[in-house]
Amino acid sequence: MPETPDRPITASRTWLRVLEHVALVLVAIGGPLAMALGSAPYLSYDEAAHVDHALRIWQGELPVRGDPLVLGNEVGFSAPIQWTWMHPPYFYIVLAPIVGPLVDAGMVVEADFAARLSMLPLSVAMVYTVRAIGRRMFPSVPAVGLASAVVVALATHFVGIGGAVYNDKPAVLFAALAFLFLLRFLRVPSWGNGIGIALSAAAAVGSRFGVLPMMLLFLGVPVVAALFKLLPLVRALAVAGVGVAAIAALNGWFYLRNISITGNISGRRGDDWVIENLGRVRRPPLEVALDRGFWSKMLQQYSIDSYADLPFLRDGTWWTLLLFVVPLAAGIALCVVGLVRRPEHRIERILVLGTILAVFAGMGLTVVLYVAGGGGWNSRYLFTITPFAAPLMALALLRPRRAPWLFAIWAAIRTVLVALQLRAAELRADGAAAPQGDAFPVLGWGSIGLLGVGVVLALVVAFAMTRAAERETAVGESPGQAAAGSRPDAADEAAARER
């Protein structure tokens, strides 16, 4: 039912939307800003290598395999060789005018902090993208978009790499955008949505090679949908073709360079330096896949191994189970139950859920093969699945609908663990020369305060949305339309009527 100006609930809906946007921005920047300002500069080898890569671009050259770093940072960690050379240059082109002038002026530490702060817009964009995905997937569930955004904003690596210099964040953002355009295209197969899938997929692959299989999956889903008569076949094939062409046009030259240097498109295989110098070993893929320790480590999307610096949180396995595995499994189960009970758009919903499950399986296999080949056990490599897991987790955490107390408890626990994540980073930095001064840790903890305010506002809005939907359902309105911000748009309604 459309809103009318003379209804008293209009003003309350407006305030809910305003508070929701304030909450979204605060949770998006709170955690990453805390880590950006509160942790010492160059707190990892990888961060130094990424900043050095941007500096190389500023100097007018692509880094070459095996080169030493030219950054010359005297604090924090410095990678022994330039091991990010196999990544496409686009992310570093954006960072180059931020990093280059500061390093040229002798402000190497400041260059790291400036690059960290430049990542914050990506965090905000990702939060809003995940919110839109949640609303698209579950339009009848009040506050699911907001809850999805909070779930992803409180993820360990959203906070960690959002406040550091890594190319994971743009890769995951563009992957999430591609999925959002896919959801839109399945309901409204316009050329705009199709081009959105293609360009987002090309940009994702232009950030990290590891998302290529996922992007090809997204481009193939419309073709499968067309075979079930959900979409025009010619248009679905055209979108898939344009997407593959865009990926090749934007990134083909660089990955051909990787092949010419290493014989492999990813640029990783054949490079034995890491094996020889970092003590890593190659293992059979099946042995890795059956290793419980491997999965306990890799699934720490809502826990983190750095809690080992805090003795009372030495084992993060229980946090992984309670805060990630159980809500995700419950969300998947609720989707399956919904598929059985509700016939409307069933094939489309099966395709969406199947696509997400394929993303989980595909990224899990990718990481297994990477570690089997001698790669590191870094749970950051599975951060890619978080934007797709968040709506399913939010769906489970918002039950029962009348009062989402489970979501409130989950969010409170995660906020505390984010604060402990910052404390663990400070403890790791104690032994390093990190001249950021006393003000920076204070600013970091102040940013944790911003995150806490954002979470509280989000919970207030979620409860208000839920109560408003309950009240309006009692007088005959659809809860999906009554909830502020969760009504399908006019294009979707028109497409549904046409079917």
Side-chain angles (χ1 to χ4, degrees), residues 142 398-405 462-470:
L398 288 173
R399 305 292 179 151
R401 291 190 187 183
R402 292 191 175 184
W405 286 108
F463 273 79
M465 285 181 173
T466 302
R467 296 294 175 85
E470 287 292 325

Side-chain angles (χ1 to χ4, degrees), residues 142-338:
V144 71
L146 174 60
S148 301
V150 172
V151 167
V152 80
L154 292 176
T156 293
H157 297 297
F158 179 93
V159 173
I161 66 177
V165 186
Y166 289 89
N167 64 347
D168 302 70
K169 185 63 76 72
V172 178
L173 170 60
F174 287 122
L177 279 171
F179 185 67
L180 175 59
F181 279 112
L182 173 61
L183 294 178
R184 294 171 60 93
F185 188 77
L186 288 175
R187 189 60 59 88
V188 184
S190 67
W191 284 113
N193 289 332
I195 296 301
I197 301 172
L199 295 182
S200 299
V205 178
S207 300
R208 286 187 76 91
F209 174 75
V211 299
L212 176 60
M214 186 195 306
M215 296 304 100
L216 295 178
L217 170 67
F218 291 172
L219 292 171
V221 169
V223 178
V224 176
L227 296 178
F228 284 96
K229 310 299 183 182
L230 297 179
L231 299 174
L233 180 59
V234 173
R235 185 164 297 188
L237 289 172
V239 168
V242 170
V244 172
I247 291 173
L250 183 66
N251 307 301
W253 68 274
F254 184 83
Y255 289 115
L256 287 174
R257 175 179 182 262
N258 281 355
I259 293 174
S260 68
I261 294 174
T262 66
N264 182 267
I265 190 172
S266 70
R268 293 187 182 277
R269 293 181 184 173
D271 188 351
D272 292 329
W273 187 94
V274 172
I275 302 292
E276 296 170 356
N277 291 273
L278 297 184
R280 296 177 183 168
V281 296
R282 294 186 174 93
R283 302 169 60 190
L286 184 60
E287 179 182 320
V288 175
L290 297 178
D291 188 336
R292 286 183 57 189
F294 166 78
W295 291 112
S296 176
K297 170 77 172 181
M298 298 306 297
L299 291 176
Q300 289 177 334
Q301 302 303 308
Y302 292 90
S303 181
I304 189 171
D305 59 353
S306 64
Y307 291 161
D309 295 321
L310 303 168
F312 57 93
L313 288 173
R314 191 173 300 279
D315 186 2
T317 302
W318 288 108
W319 295 122
T320 296
L321 289 173
L322 294 174
L323 300 179
F324 182 46
V325 176
V326 171
L328 179 58
I332 293 172
L334 288 171
C335 284
V336 173
V337 171

Side-chain angles (χ1 to χ4, degrees), residues 2-26:
E3 298 175 17
T4 55
D6 57 339
R7 293 177 63 197
I9 196 170
T10 300
S12 64
R13 284 178 172 174
T14 300
W15 276 107
L16 280 181
R17 291 193 183 101
V18 171
L19 290 178
E20 182 182 14
H21 288 299
V22 172
L24 287 167
V25 172
L26 289 179

Side-chain angles (χ1 to χ4, degrees), residues 352-436:
V352 171
L353 180 59
T355 300
I356 292 177
L357 295 179
V359 166
F360 296 165
M363 291 308 302
L365 177 62
T366 298
V367 175
V368 166
L369 294 177
Y370 174 71
V371 172
W377 291 27
N378 194 328
S379 59
R380 173 168 57 88
Y381 301 139
L382 272 186
F383 174 62
T384 313
I385 71 173
T386 306
F388 311 102
L392 297 171
M393 296 170 63
L395 179 67
L397 293 171
L398 288 173
R399 305 292 179 151
R401 291 190 187 183
R402 292 191 175 184
W405 286 108
L406 189 60
F407 173 52
I409 295 170
W410 186 95
I413 294 173
R414 271 306 304 161
T415 303
V416 172
L417 291 180
V418 168
L420 293 175
Q421 183 176 341
L422 175 61
R423 178 56 182 156
E426 289 182 343
L427 289 175
R428 289 202 307 274
D430 282 347
Q436 74 260 52

Side-chain angles (χ1 to χ4, degrees), residues 51-84:
V51 175
D52 178 83
H53 196 145
L55 179 60
R56 300 264 186 158
I57 297 294
W58 174 255
Q59 295 172 347
E61 62 181 9
L62 289 174
V64 179
R65 177 190 185 197
D67 277 358
L69 269 62
V70 298
L71 180 63
N73 59 298
E74 297 179 355
V75 300
F77 295 93
S78 180
I81 62 171
Q82 177 45 259
W83 55 37
T84 69

